[in-house]
Amino acid sequence: MNNKNRFSPLWLAMTTVIGILIGTFYANHFSGNRLSIINSGSNKLNNLLYIIDDQYVDTVDMADLVEQAVPQILSELDPHSTYLSAKDVQTANDDLRGSFSGVGIEFTIRTDTLRVQNVITDGPAEKAGLLAGDKIVTVDDSVFTGKSLTNEEAMHRLKGPEGTKVKLGVLRYGETELRHFTVTRGEIPMKSITASYMLDEQTGYIRIKNFGENTYYELLVALAQLAQEGFQQLTIDLRGNTGGYLQSAVQIANEFLPKNRLIVYTEGRHSPREEYLSDGRGSYKHIPLVVLIDEGSASASEILAGAIQDNDRGTIIGRRSFGKGLVQKPVEFGDGSMMRLTVARYYTPSGRCIQKPYINGQDKDYEEDLLIRYQNGEFFSQDSIKHTGPEYHTRIGRTVFGGGGITPDIFVPEDTTDYTSYYKEASMSGLILQFGYDYTDENRDKMKSYTDQETLVKYLKRQNLIDRFAQYAEKRGLKRRNLMIQKSHRLLEQFIESRIIYNMLDEASWLRYLNEDDPAIKEALRIFKAGKAFPNSPEEEQQADQQKVAKAYDYRSTHRSFGIVARA
């Protein structure tokens, strides 16, 4: 057999991918985010796949075999080195890009049917005539319902190049006839800042959902709007923010720090130390600041929180953050797929890496870390927090810890005062979400005149929602427990009302409603009132610099090299 004839274009592409994965790319040159590699073909993986292709008893789809093997190989490295197929890359990037091209709806899939939850203002769907509550049952005259309908499939069918058209068949509540709409796809903005308003006469509030391309510019707009309302102190809410672009976190931190403060630095085996320093041009360097975090705050969120904490620039309130201190570099392949490979760790100004321990990418304890924290009582007691890293010190000498997230300066436990097994089952089963959607659908016409959160809540308070939900849930298998319902009344009412507010209005109104009774928000306002949101005043900071306070931590003395200095 002439082995040379076995090398098809597919095989050449496959060996290139495998060559990348075994680490030989470190010996080659980078061109942007795309790698140029000459594969020698002499390694064991290449030989193995060649033999399978040449001698295996059945025909094998080698491209599919590689697609399955690549994630498995990366999973042996760490929890955050990942592989995205070509079809998943676009979806993964949309949230951070700041916009995508589509029809402009928010949707949920219930009972195998896509239901429009919100229609984006001035978007293509609104212009075409779609309404919240519509059910999309056909797309381009093809049935669009059934158990095979997933969020991924829906996004694949509804998104598309700007200017292209898609025909939607819609069932509207109370109607039996199918309506048809032709929607011309357009650019849909994706906002990182989902809420910005005044908590009281002095306190501004900004909620950052993730760190994308436009997050910094959205922040400047939000700050300008709050300035017009006279804010004198600020709460930044990073709870549930899973991260995004490091550069966005650096830009935002720069807005609040004096000149020449270290924000973060990165360093890896083949990545020289790179520092990010504040340039002193931020407009809010002296405003009292509180940052809210929780176990869902990760990556770029922790960079921002760590920069504020280690520079003693503000007070961190909440619960210990996720603990992701690894930096991924995107590596694109010719077929549109992408590898995100961990190339460095990032370190906060005090020198701590907040990455929590792991064995490899398949570490079960790492995957279940938040559950383990919950079971160990960490969500409810500060004394249950177990630090795995050594002590570090902030600029003025306060003790902080690495090795497992950012530990807040002020701990706020999860509120379980009214928690019962009935509430747990009602929320975990999805019954409250279902009830909220069905109630909204059935009463949308009655509620559409309530255009803000306050008036809508007043209406909902008169609707006996708890009893309606209990009847609804009992018909669906959740036994009515009156004593438990009475104990959990506040939690049930808050959850149900919040979902209806979200369905009828928007995410900002939903957050505003939840914040009214939020323990972390209340603690932030207490700290501001007590004048403790600034761990050190500008005068104290200047004095500390002049006296070279003995406890001040000199981060430069603890690491091997300074590497490249970058200024944001």
Side-chain angles (χ1 to χ4, degrees), residues 308-524:
I308 297 302
Q309 187 176 55
D310 285 5
N311 282 291
D312 299 292
R313 176 57 189 85
T315 300
I316 311 300
I317 295 177
R319 294 188 292 275
R320 182 162 67 106
S321 64
F322 182 84
K324 180 182 182 293
L326 302 178
V327 180
Q328 283 72 50
K329 183 179 184 66
V331 180
E332 300 173 6
F333 299 121
D335 65 352
S337 61
M338 176 188 290
M339 171 175 63
R340 289 177 175 167
L341 185 70
T342 298
V343 296
R345 291 179 174 85
Y346 73 76
Y347 299 84
T348 70
S350 66
R352 52 182 170 150
C353 180
I354 53 80
Q355 174 63 44
K356 57 189 177 185
Y358 64 89
I359 299 173
N360 56 35
Q362 302 181 68
D363 187 346
K364 185 177 180 181
D365 284 347
Y366 188 92
E367 294 178 359
E368 298 180 354
D369 175 62
L370 297 186
L371 177 61
I372 293 171
R373 291 193 205 180
Y374 183 89
Q375 293 172 338
N376 290 342
E378 184 179 317
F379 288 11
F380 317 109
S381 170
Q382 186 171 10
D383 294 337
S384 298
I385 298 176
K386 306 298 182 185
H387 295 106
T388 59
E391 288 188 7
Y392 295 85
H393 299 87
T394 69
R395 186 175 179 85
I396 63 171
R398 295 187 301 140
T399 299
V400 289
F401 295 91
I406 301 290
T407 300
D409 302 313
I410 298 176
F411 176 79
V412 176
E414 187 172 285
D415 185 8
T416 58
T417 307
D418 304 326
Y419 206 82
T420 62
S421 59
Y422 181 89
Y423 174 78
K424 178 181 178 181
E425 189 170 351
S427 56
M428 298 292 287
S429 65
L431 280 171
I432 293 179
L433 291 174
Q434 293 176 29
F435 173 77
Y437 190 89
D438 287 349
Y439 180 88
T440 303
D441 214 20
E442 294 167 7
N443 296 275
R444 196 177 296 275
D445 286 342
K446 297 177 184 177
M447 295 188 291
K448 65 183 180 182
S449 61
Y450 303 107
T451 56
D452 61 80
Q453 167 234 334
E454 291 183 3
T455 57
L456 180 56
V457 169
K458 288 179 181 178
Y459 169 80
L460 294 175
K461 295 290 187 189
R462 304 192 300 266
Q463 304 310 308
N464 198 19
L465 290 177
I466 304 301
D467 186 62
R468 290 191 184 194
F469 169 75
Q471 295 178 39
Y472 177 95
E474 190 166 34
K475 292 177 181 178
R476 288 156 179 80
L478 178 58
K479 187 176 179 180
R480 184 168 186 146
R481 304 278 187 179
N482 287 329
L483 290 178
M484 289 187 182
I485 291 172
Q486 184 177 358
K487 181 177 181 181
S488 295
H489 188 279
R490 179 182 63 87
L491 290 177
L492 288 166
E493 182 179 62
Q494 185 182 66
F495 198 166
I496 293 169
E497 289 179 356
S498 72
R499 294 318 304 176
I500 298 171
I501 290 168
Y502 185 90
N503 293 337
M504 284 300 300
L505 300 176
D506 52 29
E507 188 171 355
S509 300
W510 170 72
L511 278 168
R512 193 165 187 157
Y513 169 80
L514 292 177
N515 284 346
E516 288 180 354
D517 194 36
D518 188 288
I521 296 290
K522 291 179 179 178
E523 185 63 23

Side-chain angles (χ1 to χ4, degrees), residues 263-282:
I263 296 172
V264 66
Y265 69 91
T266 63
E267 191 171 24
R269 184 166 67 98
H270 292 282
S271 300
R273 173 165 167 155
E274 184 171 4
E275 297 181 351
Y276 297 82
L277 302 173
S278 58
D279 61 17
R281 292 185 292 181

